Amino acid sequence: MNPTFRKTPLIGEPLDRVDGRLKVTGQAKYAAEFPRPNLAYGYIIQSTVARGEISTIDSSKAEAMPGVLAILTHENAPRLIDNGEEEHFTKPFVLQSAKIDHFGQRIGLVVAETFEQARDAAMQVTVNYHAAEPNVSFEKNLENTFKPEKLLIEELKPETRRGDFEKAFSESEICVDEIYVVPNQHNNPMEPHATIAEWDGDHLTLHDSSQHVNGAQKTMAGLFGLDLKNVHVISPFIGGGFGCKVPAWEHVTLAVMAAKRVGRPVKIVLSRQQMFPGVGYRPLTWQRMRIGAKRTGEITALGHEIRTPTDVAHEYIEHAGAATPMLYSAPNLLVPHLGVELNWPRGTIMRAPGNTPGLFALECALDELAYALDLDPIELRKRNEPPHDPQKNLPWSTRNLMECFRVGADKFDWSKRSKKAGAMREGRKLIGVGVASATFPALRMPSSARVRLTPDGRALVQLAATDIGTGTYTSQTQVAADTLGLAPERITVQIGDTDFPPTPGSGGSWGAASYGSGVLQACADVRRKLLALTHGDAHSPLKGLAENEIEFRAGRFVAKNDSACGESFTEILKRHSLTEGIEGHGRAKPGDEEEKFSMHTFGAQFAEVQVDADTGEVHVSRFLGVFASGRILNEKTASSQISGGIVMGIGMALSEASIVDERYGQFVNADLAGYHVAVNRDAPQIEVMFLEERDDKVNPLGVKGLGEVGLTGAAAAIANAIYHATGKRIRELPITPDKLL
Ligand code: MOS
C-alpha cells in the first residue's frame, strides 16, 4: 500500500507524541529561548509592603550602574488604555499609580544589557512607602464577607438554590455539618513565565509562554491601543501552565513598555519566587458542607457554603460550588459563594478551578455520611444518582458515573476492604482505601483552522492553539490524518501563533473538542474542494459522478459502485497544476447542544494509602481512576493527562499549600523547596481506565475534555482512604503527618 495514505482510523490509537523527539532533544523552543538580535533584559522590582502608597522611588544610583538602559516606574511609565472590555478576567495594568494593594506588586522594571546587570541594579533602587495597615489575615476576616456580583463563568450564579434547604436540613434524619479547608495552591508549571517583546514601528511581536495566544494578543492590543493585526503572539511550546498562563500578566505589559522605551527587544523571565505573587494561584476555600439525609441514604438537603479570599479588585472568586448542584439528586440545595477582600495578590484559575476544591469538600462529606449511615460509599452515591441534571433540568448528553464505579470497584477489589475504619494493619502501616467521584464540564469554544494539501501528498495544518503538554500536536495530527486519509508522518501541525486561524486557549479542558472540531471542518473543506474539481473534469475517472456517488477512502476518491474507479487527491492536484496545493478552512462553533443537554465528564477515583502509625507519614500505595469521557482521541496522551491530574491530587492531599505571612501578606514558602509538589517518588503506579462512551450530542468528534477532571476527586479519595486507615477525619489540606499524630 502507498505509505502516503492510511485506511484504518488513527483516532483512538496510542500514537506517540509527534513533538516528543523535539522536546527530548532540546530542539523545541520555549518563549525565553528565541534568540533576538540586540536583546536587552528586564528585572522586576516588587513592593515590600502589602498596602499603601509609594512615597519616593529613587533610581539614580541604579541608573548609573553598568549596562543599565532604562528604569521604568509609575513616574515615567506610559499610560495604558482601559477600554472597559470584560472579556479577560485579568487586566495586567501596571505602573499606573503609586498605590500598593498587595505584597510583591510589580512596581518597577530595570532594563539592562544583561540579566545580571538588571538584577544587580534593581537591588539598588530605593523605594519608600506610606504604608497602611494591610488586611492580610483570612482567618481574622472570615466573618467580613461580601456577596460577589458574579463568578468567572457567567452561567454559575454566586448563589444557587433549589427547594427549601433550611427546612429540609432541619427535618433530616441524619446530618453532616462540617467545615473543610483547601489552602492556597500555586500552579507552579515547570517552565517559569517568560516574555520577549519586540517592536517594529507600531507592530508588536511577543514570544510569550502563553496558554492562549489570541487572549494575550487581545489584552496587549487593548492596553496599548493597537490593532489586533499589529500584535503577533508566538508560543509554540509551553512547559506546563495549569491555568496561570491563560491570562497575560503584568510582566508581559512591562516587557512591552520596556521594549518601546529602549527601542530593542526586551526579555523578562520570572524567577520561581516572582511567580508566587504575580501570576495567580488557587485561592483558599473555607467550605461548610451540610448534608441532610434519610436513613436510606437519600440526600434531602445539600448545603455548600464557600468563603474565599479575593484581591481588592475582586477579580477572581474560586467557584468551588460549581459541581454541587449537578452531581447528586438532592431536591433541596443551597450553594452560596462569599468573598473576603484582602490585600493579597490576585488569584486565578488553576487546573479544574471550582470543582477541585469543591469536590474535596463534597466528596469527603459524602464519605462522612456513608460512615454515619453504615453504608458503602459507592452505594450511597448510587442512591443519589440523578437521572437528569437536577439543577438545569436537562438530560445528560451522557453520564456513566455509576458504570465508572462498578468497573473501578471490581478492578480495585473494593469489596475486600474492611467495612470499619482503622481496621486494616500490616506491621506499622495502617492501610485504608477511599473513593470519590470526579467531574468536570465538557465545554467547547468556537475554533478555526486551515489546512493546505500539497501535491507531494502532505498536509499542513495551522491553528492558533497551544499545547501545554496535553498533546495538542498529536491529537490534531490524528484528526487531520483520519479526515484526509493520510499517514500521520504526512501531516504537519503548526500551532501557538496568532498568524494562524484564531482558537480559544488551552483551558477549561476544551482544547481537544474545540481545536478538533475546527481541524475536522478544515479538512472536510479541502476534501469538498478537491471533489468539486473532479466533477466536470474530462480526465478524471470520476467525471460526472455526483457527490453522493463518491466516497473518500485513504486519500482517494472512489466511485461507490466500483471501487476500482477512483483517483488520489495528489493525482487531482497534479492534473490541475495546483503546485501550491489547495487550502481548506474550518470555523467550527458549538450549536445549541448546551441548551439541550447537560454535558460533563465523569470518573470514579480509588485510592489506597499506607499511614505510618508512628510517624504519621502517608504513602499513596495504589491509585485507580476510571473515566467516562466520550471518545478518546489518543489513549496514551489521554491517560497521561489523567495520571498527571492524579499526581497533582497527591500533592494537593499531602503537601501543597502556599502560606501567607499574616503580618506582611507575603507568601513565605515561595519556591519549590518550601512548596512541595508531588514528584515521582510520591506517586504509585497509577492505573487509568476509560469506558467506551459514545456521545453524539457533545460535539462532532464526540470528545469530552480530559485535562482537568483527573484532579477533581483525587484529593478526596486520598483523604477518605486516610480516614479508613486511621479513623481520623482531616478536613483541612494538606494532610501532613502532624495532623495525624
Ligand atoms: Mo485550565 S485552569 O483552564 O488551564
Side-chain angles (χ1 to χ4, degrees), residues 187 211 241-244 246 349-353 468 506-509 708:
N187 310 56
Q211 289 176 241
F242 312 113
C244 67
V246 171
I349 49 172
M350 175 165 155
R351 203 173 197 171
I468 52 176
S506 287
S509 296
E708 297 172 280

Side-chain angles (χ1 to χ4, degrees), residues 45-62:
I45 305 168
Q46 302 183 133
S47 162
T48 55
V49 302
R51 188 179 178 192
E53 260 190 28
I54 298 169
S55 54
T56 58
I57 194 160
D58 179 6
S59 51
S60 52
K61 187 173 170 205

Side-chain angles (χ1 to χ4, degrees), residues 271-292:
S271 67
R272 184 63 56 180
Q273 289 84 352
Q274 288 174 333
M275 285 167 68
F276 275 73
V279 292
Y281 57 99
R282 190 201 304 286
L284 78 76
T285 44
W286 176 101
Q287 305 178 57
R288 181 179 182 194
M289 292 295 325
R290 285 183 289 170
I291 310 183

Side-chain angles (χ1 to χ4, degrees), residues 483-503:
T483 319
L484 298 171
L486 284 174
E489 303 76 36
R490 296 263 153 187
I491 310 271
T492 304
V493 173
Q494 294 182 337
I495 59 173
D497 194 317
T498 52
D499 277 358
F500 302 151
T503 67

